[in-house]
């Protein structure tokens, strides 16, 4: 930003801050710094140029346009001549900063077109101001304007350009006096009840363990302290939106806060709308239709803790949960957390006991099964061992027997072999002997030596004794070669 | 915007209660049971961790950051 721009920006900022102070709002609500910077840079000279700047809506140009242009161009121009219209715009822009709350008694009331005109009087001082309010706004207030009724109005002054008349544009109307307020309360209650605003079916539930809270109350209120004290420290994320909780500006503040939280991406579990006790008059903002509608429209569940225990406001009736007081609202949110430790212990105790019990039965069964298997296995093993031992001993015996037999066989074999040879030799000798003996005893061989064999011709018997024969017997003689027959002639005995 | 993967205490408690119910009512299959048992212990551990974190976080909404449409003067 160059120096020229910087100067202009500072001037704009000074005006903006004064204007905000005069109305009792935060400076950014008039115009944001970024908008002022842009104005200082562009230096618009006409409302149309102003309209090109982001953040300068129609309403803002209407309210502040003239003043802003004056500040911008006043730096370069010595004098400006206005048209009537321009001047009235200029004056209205200045007047717009005169937002105020006025208390007075209603005088004449006149409904005309989309407006209701009425006069507000100070009877004692004989002062009067002309007021007008949009008819639809008036309907939303649920207030019936009647002569002699004392009210508070908030709004800002304005010159009606076509007539050049001064009037006060009413933004909100506040009632004064218990009776009137009670009446208005009843009326609004019936209206909203029949529209289903209080029905239990549409009430939203919020988590048992709320973790993030959008807190809507006044930074100055005891309610804030009470709530924070009793909600305790359970690691809550508390987003605090400061609003006025009393007076005519409170309604807009509360409605904005509820909308803001709903439009934000904070993923809040709950909104807490709270303020301390007070008269019916001071609780008016919570008996307001706009606030009721904002609560009704909220996607985030709303808990209210408004006033004393016995105060029930429209906001309480629309809310998803009504806590009796700010303290009670805190306690409600803290309660489940306070018990969470014990609950966890309980859950933990139950969890293992249930499971362990089950595991134990399973384990016992398993142990039983294992023991049984081990037993069976052992007995099988024993049997196998027994058989093995038997087998081994049998095997030993068998192999011993086999060796024995084998050895015996070998011996026998050896013996047999020896015997055989011996026998063979023996037999051979015997045979030779026998053969020799035979050949010696062969009668035929004897014949060779000159012996003869004498046999009887009659009996064919070999004759070895002379008594076998008698004289005259015929004898057969066998020689080595050939034979002969002879006749006995004499005997020698 | 500002939320990282948020642990939901309410959901965790609900899941724990569900696990306990399961153990009471079902014919318990050992594998599933063991898995549920472990999950239960894990949840209890996380929940206890969350309970230990006691300090609140207090964030004041700076309305300057909100867009002008949210401010009270604009309709």
């Amino acid at each position: 930003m160059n120096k020229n721009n910087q100067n202009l920006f500072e001037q704009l900022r000074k005006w903006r801050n004064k204007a905000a102070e005069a109305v009792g709002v935060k400076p950014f609500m008039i115009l944001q710094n970024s908008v002022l910077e842009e104005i200082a840079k562009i230096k618009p000279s006409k409302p149309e140029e102003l309209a090109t700047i982001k953040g300068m809506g129609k309403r803002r140009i209407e309210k502040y346009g003239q003043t802003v242009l004056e500040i911008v161009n006043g730096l370069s121009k010595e004098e400006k001549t206005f048209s009537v219209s321009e001047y009235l715009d200029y004056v209205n822009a200045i007047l717009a900063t005169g937002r105020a709350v006025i208390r007075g008694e209603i005088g004449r009331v006149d409904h005309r077109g989309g407006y209701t005109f009425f006069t507000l009087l100070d009877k004692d001082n004989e002062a009067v101001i002309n007021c007008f309010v949009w008819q639809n706004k008036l309907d939303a207030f649920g207030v019936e304007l009647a002569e002699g009724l004392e009210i508070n109005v908030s709004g800002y002054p304005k010159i009606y350009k076509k007539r050049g008349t001064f009037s006060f544009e009413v933004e909100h109307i506040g009632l004064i006096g218990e009776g009137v307020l009670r009446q208005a309360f009843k009326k609004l209650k019936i209206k909203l009840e029949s529209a289903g605003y209080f029905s239990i079916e549409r009430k939203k539930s919020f988590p048992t363990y709320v973790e993030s809270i959008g807190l809507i109350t006044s930074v100055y209120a005891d309610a804030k302290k009470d709530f924070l004290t009793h909600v305790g420290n359970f690691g809550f994320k508390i987003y605090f939106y400061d609003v006025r909780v009393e007076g005519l500006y409170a309604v807009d503040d509360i409605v904005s806060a509820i909308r803001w939280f709903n439009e934000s991406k904070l993923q809040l579990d709950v909104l807490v709308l709270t303020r301390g006790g007070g008269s019916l008059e001071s609780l008016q903002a919570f008996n307001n239709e706009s606030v009721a509608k904002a609560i009704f429209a909220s996607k985030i569940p709303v808990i209210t803790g408004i006033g004393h225990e016995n105060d029930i406001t429209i906001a309480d009736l629309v809310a998803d949960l009504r806590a009796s007081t700010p303290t009670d609202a805190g306690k409600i949110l803290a309660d489940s957390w306070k018990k969470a430790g014990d609950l966890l212990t309980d859950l933990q105790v139950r969890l293992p006991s249930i499971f362990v019990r089950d595991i134990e039965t399973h384990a016992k069964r398993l142990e039983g099964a294992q023991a049984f298997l081990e037993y069976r296995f052992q007995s099988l093993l024993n049997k196998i061992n027994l058989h093995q031992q038997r087998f081994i001993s049998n095997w030993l015996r068998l192999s011993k027997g086999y060796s024995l037999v084998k050895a015996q066989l070998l011996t026998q074999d050896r013996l047999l072999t020896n015997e055989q040879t011996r026998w063979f030799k023996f037999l051979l000798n015997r045979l030779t002997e026998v053969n020799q003996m035979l050949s010696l005893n062969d009668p035929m061989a004897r014949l060779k030596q000159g012996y003869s064999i004498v046999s009887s011709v009659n009996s064919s018997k070999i004759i070895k004794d002379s008594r076998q024969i008698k004289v005259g017997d015929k004898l057969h003689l066998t020689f080595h070669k050939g034979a002969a027959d002879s006749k006995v002639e004499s005997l020698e005995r | 915007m500002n939320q990282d993967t948020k642990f939901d205490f309410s959901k965790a408690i609900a899941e724990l209660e569900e696990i306990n119910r399961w153990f009471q009512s079902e014919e318990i299959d050992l594998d599933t049971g063991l898995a549920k048992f472990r999950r239960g212990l894990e949840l209890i551990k996380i929940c206890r961790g969350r309970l230990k974190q006691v300090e609140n976080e207090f964030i004041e909404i700076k309305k300057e950051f909100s867009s002008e449409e949210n401010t009270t003067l604009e309709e």
Side-chain angles (χ1 to χ4, degrees), chain A residues 28 55 60 209 211 232-242 256 263 267 345 347-348 354-355, chain B residues 2-3 7 9-10 20 23 33 44 48 50 53-54 56-59 61 63 66 68 70-72 75:
Chain A
F28 76 90
R60 284 209 161 96
Y209 301 92
E211 298 189 60
N233 276 306
F234 293 102
F236 290 114
K237 265 195 173 173
I238 301 173
Y239 296 90
F240 171 62
Y241 195 114
D242 178 28
S256 302
E263 280 161 19
Q267 293 180 304
T345 308
L347 283 170
Q348 190 172 12
I354 288 159
F355 191 66
Chain B
N2 67 330
Q3 303 286 317
F7 170 69
F9 196 87
S10 302
N20 270 345
F23 275 116
I44 284 168
R48 286 209 186 283
R50 169 64 182 80
Q53 145 202 150
V54 289
N56 290 345
E57 206 179 316
F58 193 85
I59 306 115
I61 303 301
K63 275 164 271 182
S66 63
E68 70 161 24
N70 286 321
T71 61
T72 52
E75 281 178 358

Side-chain angles (χ1 to χ4, degrees), chain B residues 14-25:
Chain B
E15 193 181 338
L16 269 170
E17 280 167 346
E18 177 54 37
I19 288 172
N20 270 345
R21 261 199 301 284
W22 183 87
F23 275 116
Q24 279 167 341
S25 63

Side-chain angles (χ1 to χ4, degrees), chain A residues 185-245:
Chain A
F185 174 83
K186 271 186 196 161
K187 206 174 148 191
L188 183 60
K189 191 181 165 191
I190 290 164
K191 183 182 172 186
L192 295 180
E193 194 157 28
S194 62
Y197 273 56
F198 309 150
S199 72
I200 292 162
E201 303 88 69
R202 60 143 294 276
K203 294 205 183 293
K204 293 173 281 294
S205 62
F206 54 89
T208 315
Y209 301 92
V210 164
E211 298 189 60
S212 51
I213 302 165
L215 177 62
I216 304 170
T217 190
S218 165
V219 71
Y220 307 110
D222 286 342
K224 183 187 167 212
K225 211 182 82 196
D226 289 347
F227 173 78
L228 290 177
T229 306
H230 289 94
V231 84
N233 276 306
F234 293 102
F236 290 114
K237 265 195 173 173
I238 301 173
Y239 296 90
F240 171 62
Y241 195 114
D242 178 28
V243 296
R244 276 164 288 195
V245 291

